[in-house]
Amino acid sequence: MRQSAAMIRVLPFLFALLLTPPAARAEISFLPAPGPGAGDESGVSGEIVIYSSLDTRLAHPLLAAFQARYPGIAIRYEDLLTGEMHERILRETDNAGVTADLVFSSAMDLQVKLVNDGYAQRVVTAATGDWPGWAMWRETAYALTYEPAVFAWHVPSFADHPPPATRADLLAWLEDAPAAARGRIGTYDIARSGVGYLFLARDQDLFPGIWQVMAAMGQSGVQQYPTSQELLARIATGEIAVGYNLLGSYVAEAVRQNPGQIGMTLPQDFTVVVSRVALVPRAAARPELGALLLDWLMSPEGQSELSRHLRLPAVGLEVAAGESPSGALADLSGLRLKPVPVGPGMLAYLDQANRSRLIARWQQALRPAAP
């Protein structure tokens, strides 16, 4: 029952996961310890190393709030691609070295695999007992955010009629307005975007008619992109009219930055929800600092900071009962939410045979019919 309550009460409002294209080296930043102030009685000091897929510019305000609570702690923050992060943890651990003290990743499946394969350690925080069952596994991997997959749309393109609100609406728009839709429907390239792959896999699990929608997208000349940013930039200009299954956090930020140009709709038939997952690696150099940061992120204060600074949804029940932060999504309680549980079921998405079959079916569905 706790799971149902959490889904109903969770605040409105990151996942860019596995197998994104090879990219630049890690972006590393260092936040020196502010230094204990007169009001600091924690007595905690040292340097914590974090591997994360959260953009550095989004992470810094959150980390600064943590340092305000623990001013004796310095932070080394490494912004990595999720696949690179996973491989690095394996390599450092297997070579009898040390690795990050906390890993915060949008790759839910890879985080679960670290736990399953013995590369993470159990951490019981003050909030563990009240954490939703779907949002943790083995008291080791914890979902900290609650992020829906949404439709994004070009506002001027729908000045005279409403944008699609369900997958059936999207299918109707593609079939009934071929001129307006031609080349102007966009989504993730699931062969290059891990989150796009997971979203489609969940769609297939939950909605038998998804392949009819995909076929219609293919006939309309769907445009595929590896990242949210590329797709949202084209929606802002009107090159793309509708973006399908985009990460809600990035869309919410794009709406804020492009008022009157980009709109956002949570699918009313069902809404897939993903999470960013945190864990303390087995080979952490300072596991006590990793556990301290995890404890803070799961606290009402930490969950509030996630909501306020990142416009992400809070998983923690105390925060979920509060009000939505400015710029975040509206209340989700009236929607059919389908969160992806943190647990061994995620491992099926890493099975290469399953992945190859889904991508092949996707490519076939999107291939336009011969004239």
Side-chain angles (χ1 to χ4, degrees):
M1 292 303 100
R2 186 167 61 193
Q3 175 177 343
S4 298
M7 288 190 288
I8 292 173
R9 296 170 58 198
V10 164
L11 264 187
F13 234 60
L14 250 176
F15 196 120
L17 93 155
L18 162 73
L19 295 172
T20 48
R25 297 157 49 185
E27 181 179 343
I28 301 173
S29 55
F30 185 76
L31 285 69
D40 177 38
E41 300 177 356
S42 69
V44 181
S45 63
E47 179 181 318
I48 183 172
V49 177
I50 303 168
Y51 296 168
S52 175
S53 59
L54 179 63
D55 291 353
T56 300
R57 65 181 180 84
L58 297 175
H60 275 194
L62 182 66
L63 299 176
F66 173 68
Q67 286 183 308
R69 176 67 178 83
Y70 297 101
I73 296 180
I75 299 173
R76 177 184 172 91
Y77 187 82
E78 302 199 21
D79 178 0
L80 298 156
L81 293 174
T82 56
E84 177 187 1
M85 188 188 320
H86 180 80
E87 292 301 319
R88 184 168 169 184
I89 293 165
L90 298 183
R91 182 174 65 252
E92 291 169 343
T93 305
D94 291 346
N95 289 334
V98 295
T99 189
D101 304 309
L102 187 83
V103 179
F104 186 38
S105 175
S106 56
M108 298 179 71
D109 49 0
L110 292 180
Q111 293 289 79
V112 167
K113 185 168 175 56
L114 287 176
V115 176
N116 186 72
D117 295 349
Y119 287 87
Q121 56 184 280
R122 178 174 176 264
V123 176
V124 177
T125 73
T128 295
D130 292 325
W131 215 245
W134 64 266
M136 67 176 174
W137 190 44
R138 294 182 178 175
E139 296 181 336
T140 304
Y142 291 90
L144 301 182
T145 63
Y146 194 86
E147 182 170 4
V150 305
F151 297 169
W153 41 281
H154 181 240
V155 173
S157 295
F158 291 92
D160 299 327
H161 55 93
T166 66
R167 289 160 182 82
D169 290 346
L170 178 61
L171 180 61
W173 176 70
L174 292 169
E175 293 179 343
D176 297 344
R182 183 68 190 169
R184 300 183 70 219
I185 175 72
T187 192
Y188 293 121
D189 177 352
I190 72 163
R192 294 192 289 165
S193 166
V195 68
Y197 170 80
L198 178 62
F199 283 155
L200 182 64
R202 292 297 287 170
D203 278 353
Q204 179 180 241
D205 292 343
L206 297 167
F207 180 49
I210 191 60
W211 295 109
Q212 183 181 0
V213 177
M214 294 299 108
M217 288 170 60
Q219 291 304 306
S220 295
V222 63
Q223 304 296 309
Q224 302 177 61
Y225 301 90
T227 68
S228 304
Q229 289 90 338
E230 293 174 77
L231 185 45
L232 287 166
R234 287 162 176 80
I235 294 173
T237 64
E239 179 182 342
I240 298 294
V242 176
Y244 177 74
N245 261 4
L246 276 68
L247 280 166
S249 56
Y250 290 120
V251 178
E253 179 64 14
V255 169
R256 188 183 69 85
Q257 294 182 357
N258 299 271
Q261 292 299 115
I262 298 179
M264 176 174 63
T265 299
L266 279 77
Q268 294 177 9
D269 44 358
F270 66 90
T271 301
V272 175
V273 179
V274 296
S275 303
R276 289 182 180 261
V277 175
L279 56 81
V280 176
R282 187 185 83 215
R286 296 291 303 272
E288 74 282 3
L289 293 185
L292 182 69
L293 177 53
L294 179 58
D295 184 89
W296 181 81
L297 287 167
M298 293 173 65
S299 71
E301 179 185 357
Q303 289 280 284
S304 293
E305 293 294 339
L306 278 169
S307 293
R308 184 163 65 91
H309 290 300
L310 279 64
R311 296 182 176 85
L312 292 172
V315 171
L317 299 186
E318 290 183 64
V319 178
E323 294 183 358
S324 173
S326 174
L329 291 172
D331 180 30
L332 303 179
S333 59
L335 297 169
R336 294 181 59 208
L337 303 178
K338 300 295 183 180
V340 180
V342 179
M346 294 297 307
L347 299 176
Y349 298 118
L350 290 172
D351 182 87
Q352 289 304 302
N354 290 342
R355 185 174 188 274
S356 296
R357 281 194 295 270
L358 184 63
I359 291 176
R361 187 169 186 183
W362 156 267
Q363 292 171 339
Q364 177 65 33
L366 294 189
R367 188 174 298 129

